[in-house]
Amino acid sequence: YATKQWFLPDVTYAGNIRLLNQDREVFALDDFSLPVNELNTAEGVFIVKDKNNKPELGMLKDSILDFGKDRESLFFYVLRD
């Protein structure tokens, strides 16, 4: 998803991705200070921890199960390809 904006589940994930990819613009879904009018959610990929009841995020495209020391599962949704 190199050409899409990334929307991560929280500021912890967003911060870690930002450290690893300093040229990449990433957003946290729990950051209420985001300028919503500047976000291109139609061209974004949403990474969430809960895969249930997410039709507003588009199609489930991928997942990472048991990720990290907390063994969290992450699910990747896109509104369109």
Side-chain angles (χ1 to χ4, degrees), residues 68-80:
K69 69 176 184 155
D70 293 334
R71 303 185 62 82
E72 295 179 304
S73 294
L74 300 172
F75 302 93
F76 295 72
Y77 289 85
V78 293
L79 291 175
R80 58 180 168 205

Side-chain angles (χ1 to χ4, degrees), residues 9-74:
D10 54 45
V11 293
T12 302
Y13 274 96
N16 284 318
I17 294 297
R18 179 80 170 123
L19 283 173
L20 295 171
N21 300 285
Q22 295 184 8
D23 295 331
R24 182 122 185 105
E25 189 173 32
V26 296
F27 302 96
L29 292 174
D30 66 349
D31 183 355
F32 299 108
S33 67
L34 287 176
V36 176
N37 59 337
E38 294 179 22
L39 300 178
N40 187 359
T41 58
E43 297 298 328
V45 59
F46 294 86
I47 298 101
V48 296
K49 296 179 192 178
D50 175 17
K51 111 176 186 178
N52 297 323
N53 300 320
K54 299 291 182 199
E56 69 277 9
L57 297 180
M59 291 183 54
L60 178 63
K61 289 293 194 171
D62 207 349
S63 63
I64 301 173
L65 305 178
D66 298 326
F67 176 73
K69 69 176 184 155
D70 293 334
R71 303 185 62 82
E72 295 179 304
S73 294
L74 300 172

